[in-house]
Amino acid sequence: MTGLPVVPAPASIEALDAPPFRLTPDTVICGDAEAAAVLARLVATRTRGEVDPGTSIPAAPRAKRVETSARITLTIDPSTSSGTEDASATEAASGTGPGSDTPEAYALTVDEASIVVTGEGAAGLFYGIQTLGQLITRTRDGWTIPTVTISDTPRFAYRGVMLDVARHFHGVDTVKAYIDRAASLKFNALHLHLTDDQGWRLQLHSRPLLTEKASSTAVGGEAGGFYTQTDYREIVAYAAAHHMIVVPEIDLPGHTHAVSLAYPELCEQPVLSEHVRATAEEFGGGLPVNGTPYEGMAVGFSSLKIHDEATYSFLADVLGELAQLTPGPYLHIGGDECLGTSADDYAFFMARLTRLAAQTGKTPIAWHEAGSAPDLSPGTLGQYWGFVTPTDGMDEKSRRIVRGGGKLILSPADAIYLDMKFDADSPLGLTWANGVTTARRAYDWDPAGVIGGVEDEHILGVEAPLWSETVRTLADIDALAFPRIAAAAEAAWSPPGPASDVRTWESFAARVGALGPLWTSQGIGFSPLTEIAWAVDANTEGQS
Ligand code: ACM
């Protein structure tokens, strides 16, 4: 094992004490054309154009140069070893991500004369290229890549990030930029939280009033927005090109105040709890009134009508159209914080909702509260958002989902909710999940150590959510997500601690710190937390 700056840490990495590969104007990339274009762009970005792939690293090499130049070869070979003999490795180790038929393992060898990246599938080759990009180093000798052998495969099949586009809307370009960032850390799922009390963000032809009447505002009364179906398809296609699926969420039966602006007859009156009043006092936004936009930050006051058949016609339209629009295998149906719904009504509703979602041909995912409902559609997946040390029976609700045949996605809020503040003085972020937090807290946990009895085989994966009550721009996203998102990537991809001697905070902090120059070259406005020593590129001015 080495201290080379690969994040997430690979399954197997061996650095050799030998001269590095030098990236020069004569370096040639050959092999898979699509992958060559990805690597050429990455090299140009990282070297700030000093190694210009447009002219210096032709994707289609000229024969004479191939003979004389250092070469980078990119290939897909289905027999590429997964890099682990660990029998407990999940299905991810031997196969594909959740929404893709392209396997994710890769091998990378670098010596002085050549680099070879071999993906078990297109996704694996893409991940090998991301690893290679992290290894590009500016030394006194110019741009180099250290001599190394890597064999890598993910621990978990599902590695997600979630973006809340309901509290503040984030347009297509911002979503694409977040896909770029997430894919570079080997995440393969983008969960879009498309609806909440503050707005409905996806155009549906079966229910056009949703975006016509319920999308125009956001938290603080700021401008809202929505994705047309063309926008949504563009996001899905961009994600697919980066080996990511889109997991759309319609949060139900709570978090549905926005529905009351379009279909008031489907919604109960808001439940004005102490929490709702206290949140209005602290953060503003007023109290919710059905039929008018809600601009505050309270939760748990809204509910669809549970015993009205019109609700289920509405849901059949919404979920059916969403399933048609979404090639990925999952529909997220929410189910969290339904404080405006009685326990019996919640159980009744979730049984019907999960079946409606399953009838679309997709697998339903619900937040872990769904485990309190005894009759979910078999195989419904759960997303745990309690703390690393569970409270209030959240672990038991999650175990019930497992007993119902569903795996879990782990999003422990006090570890990897990316909207938790790490700077008490910043206007960005919230503190309810044991904030103010640290990067170390995002790192120091293991997915199999959160819920008693829930081991790797019960875990589909790990997801880092970013809620957007305080988040308006890509710069805000970067500042909150980076670097803590890298800790979530490592929890999702890398072998657990005992299997890997680099799964320590000290190693991670050093490896992440070394990525500072890469992130800067990519325009990622990360927060330079003082827990981490951030590298800068060596100054080679005046050197060759
Ligand atoms: C959640 O944070 N309410 C899922």
Side-chain angles (χ1 to χ4, degrees), residues 255 336-337 367 369 385 417 432 467:
H255 292 271
D336 59 320
E337 297 176 314
W367 297 103
E369 286 97 319
W385 64 278
Y417 263 33
W432 63 264
W467 301 97

Side-chain angles (χ1 to χ4, degrees), residues 164-359:
D164 171 9
V165 296
R167 270 51 176 269
H168 281 102
F169 181 66
H170 299 280
V172 173
D173 287 348
T174 298
V175 175
K176 286 181 173 177
Y178 204 43
I179 289 170
D180 290 338
R181 286 151 170 71
S184 76
L185 291 166
K186 305 185 175 81
F187 286 101
N188 64 3
L190 171 70
H191 167 183
L192 286 176
H193 184 76
L194 288 167
T195 66
D196 214 302
D197 294 313
Q198 295 82 355
W200 187 284
R201 307 301 184 199
L202 179 66
Q203 177 187 45
L204 293 176
H205 294 316
S206 59
R207 297 283 174 161
L209 294 185
L210 288 166
T211 44
E212 282 169 24
K213 296 198 162 178
S215 67
S216 65
T217 60
V219 164
E222 292 164 51
F226 67 90
Y227 305 120
T228 64
Q229 297 208 345
T230 305
D231 291 338
Y232 183 75
R233 287 199 178 93
E234 192 177 330
I235 290 169
V236 166
Y238 193 82
H242 293 74
H243 305 282
M244 295 180 78
I245 55 163
V246 170
V247 179
E249 180 185 355
I250 306 294
D251 203 350
L252 299 160
H255 292 271
T256 45
H257 180 84
V259 176
S260 81
L261 276 65
Y263 299 100
E265 67 278 12
L266 299 180
C267 298
E268 299 289 358
Q269 288 303 313
V271 175
L272 300 180
S273 64
E274 253 326 289
H275 154 78
V276 174
R277 293 180 193 282
T279 305
E281 283 283 302
E282 189 177 351
F283 296 104
L287 296 174
V289 176
N290 268 5
T292 66
Y294 178 61
E295 299 169 357
M297 287 167 45
V299 295
F301 56 82
S302 53
S303 180
L304 294 182
K305 288 189 177 157
I306 304 298
H307 297 289
D308 186 335
E309 281 309 306
T311 295
Y312 300 94
S313 307
F314 170 80
L315 294 174
D317 287 347
V318 166
L319 296 179
E321 193 172 345
L322 186 60
Q324 290 273 319
L325 276 172
T326 305
Y330 306 121
L331 290 188
H332 202 306
I333 48 170
D336 59 320
E337 297 176 314
C338 296
L339 312 177
T341 316
S342 74
D344 284 349
D345 281 359
Y346 180 77
F348 172 84
F349 180 84
M350 292 306 285
R352 284 191 69 170
L353 176 64
T354 52
R355 282 172 179 75
L356 271 176
Q359 278 160 17

Side-chain angles (χ1 to χ4, degrees), residues 20 60 85 219 288 313 469 536:
E85 302 305 316
V219 164
S313 307
E469 287 92 338
V536 289

